């Protein structure tokens, strides 16, 4: 070519083109469930002049962690460290959780649910949760359901949260105080943000009140925030008698005003 700068530029273009092809191959292999082959292609990228970027490393590592493959995730971590890419506190916590689950296999599925939530993959968390409901040796607990239900509300998927809450009853798993609080607050916040579906315009407030009654029957008391959210929505609905009743209830129970 006669000029070193031009030669270097051509070399970089060819390397970048190779990286794009390998990235495409990784995505296709992952979609086909061929994780081992995807990892092999990923390893080839690490040996190229243009190494995989941080986003690609993180995606690969999260995929392995969600599947419970500690060895492959650790290999990705090693490559990241060698490339000068630091792990976040959350990522280090996910590694610890998976390592602890290896020592106590009964917690493996529960930890996978939590890892999926930390990786913001709610659908994969739901898949593991339902897998647990058919596993007599490691059945789900309220905490696992709470994590997924709270994440669904946060993601604006309230109807799915309601359905999952119903599934707890189907498998005879009692909701705890946190479960009820998340469900009540989810209904009320969806109502206050104007996100309630038209076919359920009045349903969220009634659902919240019913859940409050169930919560109290189970021996749990609503917290201050829940009372305030309920009274705010009852005021907007011009149900002042109910607002007064809740206010007096707070006074009797000694809840902070």
């Amino acid at each position: 070519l006669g000029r070193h700068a031009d030669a270097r530029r051509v070399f970089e273009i060819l390397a970048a083109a190779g990286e794009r092809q390998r990235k495409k191959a990784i995505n296709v292999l992952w979609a086909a469930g061929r994780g081992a082959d995807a990892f092999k292609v990923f390893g080839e990228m690490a040996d190229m002049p243009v190494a995989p970027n941080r986003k690609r490393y993180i995606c690969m590592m999260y995929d392995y962690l969600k599947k419970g493959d500690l060895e492959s995730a650790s290999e990705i971590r090693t490559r990241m460290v060698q490339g000068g890419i630091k792990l976040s506190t959350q990522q280090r916590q996910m590694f610890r959780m998976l390592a602890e689950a290896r020592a106590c296999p009964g917690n493996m599925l529960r930890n996978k649910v939590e890892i999926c939530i930390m990786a913001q993959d709610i659908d994969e968390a739901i898949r593991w949760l339902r897998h647990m409901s058919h596993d007599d040796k490691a059945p789900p607990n309220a905490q696992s359901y709470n994590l997924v239900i709270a994440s669904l509300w946060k993601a604006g998927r309230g109807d799915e949260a309601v359905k999952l809450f119903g599934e707890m009853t189907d498998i005879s798993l009692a909701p705890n105080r946190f479960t009820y609080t998340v469900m009540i607050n989810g209904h009320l916040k969806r109502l206050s943000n104007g996100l309630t579906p038209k076919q359920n315009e009045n349903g969220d407030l009634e659902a919240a009140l019913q859940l409050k009654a169930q919560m109290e029957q189970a021996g749990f008391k609503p917290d201050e925030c829940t009372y305030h959210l309920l009274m705010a929505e009852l005021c907007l609905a011009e149900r002042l008698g109910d607002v007064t009743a809740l206010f007096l209830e707070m006074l009797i129970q000694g809840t902070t005003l």
Side-chain angles (χ1 to χ4, degrees):
L1 293 174
R3 287 189 297 175
H4 290 296
D6 290 339
R8 180 179 177 79
R9 178 60 180 159
V10 171
F11 180 76
E12 289 175 348
I13 291 172
L14 291 172
E19 182 190 19
R20 286 194 296 272
Q21 291 298 319
R22 283 174 169 79
K23 284 182 178 179
K24 184 176 180 180
I26 287 172
N27 291 334
V28 172
L29 290 167
W30 271 115
R34 295 168 59 184
D37 292 332
F39 187 75
K40 182 179 179 181
V41 175
F42 182 81
E44 293 173 0
M45 289 179 67
D47 297 330
M48 294 171 58
V50 180
N53 59 27
R54 185 179 188 278
K55 184 177 179 181
R56 175 59 58 183
Y57 275 122
I58 297 299
C59 288
M60 292 285 287
M61 188 176 69
Y62 275 167
D63 280 330
Y64 283 124
L65 287 170
K66 288 185 292 185
K67 290 177 173 64
D69 188 343
L70 184 59
E71 288 76 16
S72 297
S74 297
E75 175 64 24
I76 297 293
R77 179 177 59 180
T78 300
R79 291 179 183 273
M80 289 174 66
V81 172
Q82 290 172 345
I85 301 174
K86 294 182 179 180
L87 271 68
S88 68
T89 301
Q90 184 190 68
Q91 290 157 6
R92 290 195 295 270
Q93 182 182 353
M94 292 164 74
F95 267 99
R96 285 196 300 270
M97 289 172 59
L98 193 55
E100 289 169 2
R102 285 291 185 89
C104 185
N107 292 331
M108 177 60 80
L109 291 178
R110 294 191 186 111
N111 282 18
K112 282 183 180 179
V113 170
E114 189 167 352
I115 286 171
C116 289
I117 293 299
M118 293 171 71
Q120 299 182 359
D121 190 342
I122 303 175
D123 293 322
E124 185 70 5
I126 292 173
R127 189 179 75 81
W128 284 119
L129 193 63
R130 287 179 174 152
H131 182 72
M132 288 168 67
S133 65
H134 297 94
D135 189 340
D136 294 333
K137 295 181 180 179
N141 56 18
Q143 181 183 355
S144 298
Y145 269 91
N146 291 346
L147 285 169
V148 181
I149 288 172
S151 296
L152 285 169
W153 279 114
K154 186 177 180 180
R157 297 166 61 177
D159 290 341
E160 293 176 71
V162 172
K163 183 178 179 181
L164 204 60
F165 178 78
E167 289 180 12
M168 293 182 71
T169 304
D170 294 340
I171 63 171
S172 301
L173 182 59
N176 58 25
R177 186 174 186 269
F178 184 85
T179 319
Y180 283 116
T181 300
V182 166
M183 288 298 299
I184 294 170
N185 293 356
H187 279 292
L188 295 174
K189 287 177 181 178
R190 181 167 70 171
L191 187 60
S192 65
N193 291 333
L195 300 176
T196 301
K198 287 187 176 180
Q199 67 270 23
N200 190 34
E201 284 182 347
N202 299 317
D204 274 321
L205 181 54
E206 294 305 322
L209 291 169
Q210 289 175 9
L211 284 163
K212 175 182 174 293
Q214 293 174 20
M215 181 181 190
E216 291 169 335
Q217 280 185 335
F220 305 113
K221 293 181 181 179
D223 60 19
E224 177 189 357
C225 178
T226 301
Y227 271 112
H228 289 175
L229 287 171
L230 274 169
M231 288 192 290
E233 292 304 325
L234 287 168
C235 281
L236 291 174
E238 299 182 352
R239 295 171 58 172
L240 301 183
D242 291 331
V243 175
T244 302
L246 282 179
F247 181 78
L248 294 174
E249 187 178 304
M250 289 180 70
L251 289 176
I252 293 171
Q253 294 183 357
T255 305
T256 305
L257 298 177

